[in-house]
């Protein structure tokens, strides 16, 4: 393949607002970004980014090869999987075949990636040996700054109440409450008191009492959760059926005025779900949730899923954990604190005089709560 042939491939970086009437600023961008030609775009609000590879009609490029669309990000290299339509860590083959047969496609909601500068490369591996020919790359660089999604610092004070009448009297930075069951006016009251409101919903299980329970296809419902017989695990791979339901829940969070969301049960791959989910299945789904939440201006926390913290910390704004002191797992959450992000958590058992001092030293925001998650709390920061 000649360089002149490769130059017939165009990389177009399009930007559209992800929020209605949200303005953003960008520098003028030429249509073609070839070797040595770089464009940096500064974004001051939440946006959807689309990266489209277009092949010029009549191009003489036709040899077989491996074609790559990759991004250098603040958290390492990512590649775009054309088939799954998802960014995945590291390098891998996105497409194999003649370049002329590669269709145009969009990569949306890059706001799910962390703040920083991204350089997007389109390249070719003619020898199909797993190595990019760095001398034959097109690239476009984007500096992303999102300044209106809540990302709390370590040590933030919080309250978690998922049952009973919400007690709004606690002086905390954040309240985490149930998306569906919150009474009208409670969110408005919390906002009036200066509280950030996070709305809980299950993203990985079907709950038979939820108002949208009938919308879940039977094919996505698996085995019951341990100790919760009225909940079943979901097949998170089936986004055709599951995706619209979760998007509707995120839309409901926006409609109700939630500042962010706490998606629960996002670690099905380490449980008996009935679907044989893999770690990669879980990573794909959790990244999808982050992207969808951020595209709506919602802060999003990573719930439990300790084995994947290192991979997911760049994509989530905070973490929430249950019982890491009881199970001696708390060190797994340190990457969030090291990234300047809060770690919220609870213990249901044990003595606060034992776990609170350690939580405070680690910079975690820890509570003791009852299993029913009513209003009662013991705050380690008061210990």
């Amino acid at each position: 393949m000649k360089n002149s042939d490769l130059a017939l491939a165009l990389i177009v970086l399009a930007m559209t607002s992800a929020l209605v009437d949200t303005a953003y600023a960008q520098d003028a961008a030429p249509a073609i970004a070839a070797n040595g030609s770089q464009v940096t775009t500064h974004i001051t609000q939440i946006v959807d980014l689309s990266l489209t590879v277009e092949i010029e009609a009549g191009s003489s490029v036709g040899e077989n090869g491996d074609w790559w669309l990759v991004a250098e990000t603040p958290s390492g290299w990512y590649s775009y999987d054309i088939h799954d339509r998802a960014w995945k860590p590291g390098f891998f083959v996105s497409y194999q075949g003649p370049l002329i047969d590669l269709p145009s496609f969009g990569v949306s909601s890059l706001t799910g990636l962390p703040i920083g500068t991204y350089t997007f490369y389109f390249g070719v591996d003619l020898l199909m040996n797993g190595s990019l020919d760095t001398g034959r790359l097109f690239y476009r660089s984007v500096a992303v700054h999102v300044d209106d999604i809540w990302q709390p610092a370590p040590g933030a004070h919080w309250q978690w109440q998922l049952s009973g009448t919400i007690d709004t009297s606690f002086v905390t930075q954040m309240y985490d409450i149930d998306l569906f069951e919150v009474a009208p006016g409670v969110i408005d009251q919390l906002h009036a008191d200066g509280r950030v409101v996070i709305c809980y919903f299950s993203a990985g299980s079907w709950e038979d009492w939820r108002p949208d329970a009938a919308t879940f296809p039977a094919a996505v419902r698996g085995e019951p959760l341990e100790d919760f017989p009225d909940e079943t695990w979901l097949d998170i791979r089936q986004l055709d059926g599951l995706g619209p339901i979760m998007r509707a829940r995120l839309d409901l969070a926006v409609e109700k005025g939630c500042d962010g969301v706490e998606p629960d049960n996002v670690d099905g791959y380490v449980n008996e779900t009935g679907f044989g989910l893999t770690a990669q299945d879980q990573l794909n789904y959790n990244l999808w949730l982050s992207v969808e939440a951020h595209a709506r201006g919602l802060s999003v926390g990573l719930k439990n899923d300790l084995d994947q913290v290192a991979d997911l910390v760049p994509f989530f704004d905070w973490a929430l954990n249950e019982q890491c002191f009881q199970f001696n797992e708390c060190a797994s959450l340190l990457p969030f604190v090291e990234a300047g992000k809060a770690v919220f958590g609870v213990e249901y058992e044990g003595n606060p005089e034992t776990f609170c001092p350690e939580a405070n030293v680690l910079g975690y925001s820890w509570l003791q709560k009852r299993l029913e998650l009513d209003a009662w709390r013991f705050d380690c920061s008061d210990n």
Side-chain angles (χ1 to χ4, degrees), residues 291-341:
V291 167
E292 292 291 335
H294 285 160
R296 290 163 174 78
L298 294 169
S299 177
V300 60
L302 179 65
K303 178 73 169 290
N304 298 323
D305 195 16
L306 293 178
D307 291 340
Q308 297 187 329
V309 164
D311 291 318
L312 293 173
V313 66
F315 306 97
F316 285 81
D317 304 298
W318 41 275
L320 197 160
N321 177 264
E322 297 168 291
Q323 301 167 277
C324 79
F325 287 100
Q326 180 179 343
F327 298 110
N328 195 28
E329 300 171 328
C330 292
S332 299
L333 292 159
L334 282 172
F336 272 95
V337 171
E338 292 165 355
K341 301 177 181 182

Side-chain angles (χ1 to χ4, degrees), residues 106 181 184 192 221 231 360:
E181 297 181 3
R221 292 162 48 187
E231 286 187 63
N360 293 338

Side-chain angles (χ1 to χ4, degrees), residues 5 16 29 69 97 166 205 213 256 264 276 279 305 314 319 322 330 340-341:
D5 290 334
T16 57
L69 180 59
I166 302 298
S205 72
K256 286 195 167 187
D264 196 10
D305 195 16
E322 297 168 291
C330 292
K341 301 177 181 182

Side-chain angles (χ1 to χ4, degrees), residues 12 17 19 43 46 54 64 92 95-96 117 140 142 144 154 176 179-180 199-200 286 300 311 339-340 353 377 379 382:
V12 179
S17 174
L19 297 180
I43 303 160
I46 302 169
E54 298 176 348
N64 284 324
F92 67 97
Y95 173 82
Q96 188 177 100
T117 300
R140 179 67 59 80
V142 183
V144 177
D176 189 339
L179 171 64
F180 292 103
C199 293
Y200 166 96
N286 292 356
V300 60
D311 291 318
E353 293 183 1
R377 68 200 284 273
D379 191 337
D382 296 332

Side-chain angles (χ1 to χ4, degrees), residues 11 53 65-70 79-80 82 90-95 102 105 121-126 128-133 137-138:
I11 292 185
V53 176
D66 289 346
W67 310 98
W68 301 66
L69 180 59
V70 296
S79 300
Y80 190 72
I82 292 173
F91 284 115
F92 67 97
V93 176
S94 294
Y95 173 82
L102 179 64
F105 61 94
Y121 297 90
F122 175 67
V124 58
D125 173 17
L126 283 178
M128 292 187 282
N129 61 3
S131 176
L132 281 174
D133 181 351
L137 294 177
F138 292 83

